[in-house]
């Protein structure tokens, strides 16, 4: 080899060893710097200073984003990128300068410096995320009326869907809906362009709907929508369109029946014309509007129900069924189906029955039972219908006494109801609220069987109640929790724990806003206090109970006969223990005098 090549190669290897391992004790510096600055110990940046600088910069960068957000300061994406780029270049230049000024750095010091730079780079990447603008949620126009309708759009499922076209259809459908399908004074508003509800879970069997329910609850709270409607859209290989309408019922609209709250998905509307042509789109919109027959009457019935006027709600649902709503098709391809009306009418009949004296309830419960039995057992609301059937059978099993004393109940009907409720409480295909309602109803039925001395208390009641009382959720779950507390009070009374029964029922009373139910629970508290000899407390709860029941009668939640029945029972108990309750007339009613 040429002599010059060997010499160059030797010098290159020699320099590399110096850089990586440092100079030997007798090795002179290749490029000595004669300047005084280079010979001083303070020249350049020592390794520990470099590491400290990288750590401080990392901490400052990590804290900068949250601090800016705390004061409401947000940067644009361009500014964020420029900032990160500037800091990145500065960091790289600083490290390279340190390496150049200190060619004798040990391997550990170099790796420490590189690690500091890597951490700095990761922080820069985090800054991009932190500084990325997060647009606020869109402003949703609030609806003024209690029967107003919100259209949240039609979600395309599968391939071949154009969401912008579906949003256009939603807009046109809302306009058609407003013209002649709503109660007088109500309106409909389209929110499809500003919301994106996860409606697709409605079409998936066994899927958890809690995410959709939570989204809808938040949407309703912001918009005050009385009814929310939407749908799922699919297109098959031949180009036919399938649309399944969906309706959402709020928990606040179905007082004492929170398990009825939620989304109801109808059958599929099949159309052989697409969205692209004006005639085809017009046909689809007209067909959708036609399928909303009964929406006005259904919305009106729910508004009556929400006000506690159950008998009037039942009459409104009667008129809906008599008009043939949902009865022209057998595929359930309507926004308001006949089965949906039957389910709600059955529950309105039950609420009417609860407001009557015990002797007059049976015909209403039997009518409700017939409604539930007429619902398609394989349809989308079959589980809700089974739950309602089990509850009605329990009510019928009590007979005319509305109690569970030995020898007064139908033991076979109670056993059948209990078995069905156990199955529903464990059915994962049922909604969470549905399973919780089945659990609290199971506790009621089992408590009745224990009181009637048909079965021992094997712990089923306590486990079912604990499941409901520990559940988390929105308004529907909260109502079931309060109901579970009242059942726990009855359970404590059945075990002979009067103190526990009274304290627990009073906990339920403080959380119950309804006149009728609160009055009944205060009547229980008064009865138990009289049994314990607490006459003053019993008289106070008696007066409060009669006041609540009087308001419930005024609001048409209970009849005057039912009010009188409860009042007479309380007066007899007060008389039996020698209680003379101030402020009550001899008839037991609160007196008008001082």
């Amino acid at each position: 080899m040429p002599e010059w090549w060997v010499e160059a190669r030797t010098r290159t290897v020699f320099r590399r060893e110096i850089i990586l391992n440092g100079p030997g004790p007798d090795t002179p510096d290749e490029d000595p710097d004669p300047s005084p600055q280079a010979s001083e110990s303070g020249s350049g940046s020592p390794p520990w200073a470099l590491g400290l600088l990288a750590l401080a910069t990392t901490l400052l960068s990590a804290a900068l984003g949250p601090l800016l957000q705390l004061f409401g300061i947000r940067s644009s994406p361009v500014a964020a990128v420029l900032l990160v780029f500037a800091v990145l270049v500065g960091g790289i230049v600083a490290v390279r300068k340190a390496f150049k000024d200190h060619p004798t750095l040990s391997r550990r010091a170099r790796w420490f410096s590189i690690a500091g730079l890597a951490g700095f780079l990761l922080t820069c990447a985090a800054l991009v995320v932190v500084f990325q603008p997060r647009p606020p949620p869109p402003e949703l126009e609030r609806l003024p009326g209690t029967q107003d309708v919100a259209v949240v759009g039609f979600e395309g499922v599968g391939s071949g869907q154009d969401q912008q076209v579906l949003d256009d259809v939603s807009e046109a459908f809302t306009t058609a809906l407003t013209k002649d399908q709503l109660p007088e004074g109500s309106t409909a508003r389209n929110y499809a362009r500003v919301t994106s509800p996860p409606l697709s879970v409605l079409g998936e069997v066994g899927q958890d709907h809690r995410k959709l329910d939570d989204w809808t609850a938040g949407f309703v709270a912001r918009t005050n929508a009385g009814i929310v409607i939407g749908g799922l859209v699919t297109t098959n290989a031949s180009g036919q369109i399938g649309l399944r309408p969906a309706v959402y019922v709020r928990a606040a609209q179905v007082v004492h029946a929170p398990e009825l709250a939620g989304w109801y998905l109808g059958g599929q509307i099949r159309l052989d014309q697409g969205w692209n042509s004006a005639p085809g789109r017009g046909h689809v919109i007209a067909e959708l509007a036609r399928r909303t027959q009964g929406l006005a009457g259904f919305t009106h019935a729910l508004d009556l129900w929400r006000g506690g006027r159950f008998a009037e709600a039942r009459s409104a649902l009667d008129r809906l069924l008599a008009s043939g709503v949902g009865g022209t098709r057998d595929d359930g391809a309507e926004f308001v189906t006949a089965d949906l009306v039957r389910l709600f009418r059955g529950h309105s009949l039950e609420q009417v029955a609860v407001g009557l004296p015990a002797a007059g309830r049976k015909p209403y419960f039997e009518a409700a039972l017939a409604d539930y039995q007429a619902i398609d057992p394989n349809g989308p609301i079959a589980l809700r219908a089974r739950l309602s059937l089990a509850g009605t059978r329990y009510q019928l099993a009590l007979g005319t006494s509305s109690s569970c004393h030995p020898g007064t109940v139908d033991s076979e009907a109670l056993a059948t109801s209990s078995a069905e409720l156990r199955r529903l409480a464990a059915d994962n295909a049922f909604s969470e609220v549905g399973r919780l309602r089945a659990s609290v109803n199971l506790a009621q039925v089992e408590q009745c069987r224990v009181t009637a001395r048909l079965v021992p208390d094997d712990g089923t009641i306590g486990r079912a109640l604990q499941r409901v009382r520990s559940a988390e959720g929105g308004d529907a779950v909260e109502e079931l929790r309060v109901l579970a507390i009242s059942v726990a009070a009855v359970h404590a009374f059945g075990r002979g724990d009067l103190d526990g029964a009274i304290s627990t029922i009073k906990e339920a009373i403080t959380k119950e806003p309804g006149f009728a139910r609160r009055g009944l629970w205060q009547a229980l508290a008064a009865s138990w206090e009289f049994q314990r000899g607490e006459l003053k407390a019993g008289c106070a709860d008696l007066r409060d109970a009669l006041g609540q029941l009087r308001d419930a009668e005024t609001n048409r939640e209970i009849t005057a006969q039912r009010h009188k029945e409860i009042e007479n029972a309380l007066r007899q108990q007060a008389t039996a223990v020698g209680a003379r309750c101030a402020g009550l007339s001899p008839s037991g009613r609160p007196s008008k005098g001082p």
Side-chain angles (χ1 to χ4, degrees), residues 168-299:
D168 292 340
V169 171
S170 178
E171 185 75 42
F173 166 67
T174 305
T175 302
L177 186 66
T178 306
K179 289 180 180 178
D180 54 7
Q181 296 294 337
L182 297 180
E184 185 177 354
S186 299
T187 187
R189 194 152 289 141
N190 178 47
Y191 294 90
R193 301 189 191 279
V194 293
T195 58
S196 299
L199 292 174
S200 59
V201 299
L202 293 175
E204 301 172 3
V205 178
Q207 287 295 311
D208 192 343
H209 292 181
R210 277 180 292 186
K211 182 178 179 181
L212 174 59
D213 290 340
D214 291 344
W215 181 93
T216 313
F219 173 81
V220 166
R222 294 169 65 189
T223 62
N224 191 43
I227 290 285
V228 182
I229 61 178
L232 302 179
V233 178
T234 58
T235 304
N236 63 21
S238 64
Q240 288 185 338
I241 294 171
L243 190 151
R244 299 188 67 183
V247 179
Y248 180 80
V249 176
R250 299 172 57 178
Q253 291 172 310
V254 281
V255 180
H256 305 327
E259 71 277 10
L260 296 183
W263 282 94
Y264 290 84
L265 186 64
Q268 189 175 78
I269 301 172
R270 288 181 291 273
L271 304 167
D272 60 359
Q273 300 185 53
W275 309 113
N276 296 328
S277 68
R281 187 176 299 188
H283 170 71
V284 171
I285 293 167
E287 185 65 16
L288 283 173
R290 190 181 71 78
R291 300 295 180 95
T292 59
Q293 177 191 8
L295 187 62
F298 186 67
T299 305

Side-chain angles (χ1 to χ4, degrees), residues 421-452:
L421 290 169
R422 287 177 192 270
R423 288 190 290 268
L424 291 170
D427 193 337
N428 290 328
F430 207 2
S431 67
E432 176 67 11
V433 174
R435 293 196 298 270
L436 291 175
R437 180 66 193 221
S439 295
V440 74
N441 282 5
L442 174 62
Q444 288 177 304
V445 174
E446 285 300 295
Q447 181 62 53
C448 185
R449 297 176 76 199
V450 170
T451 302

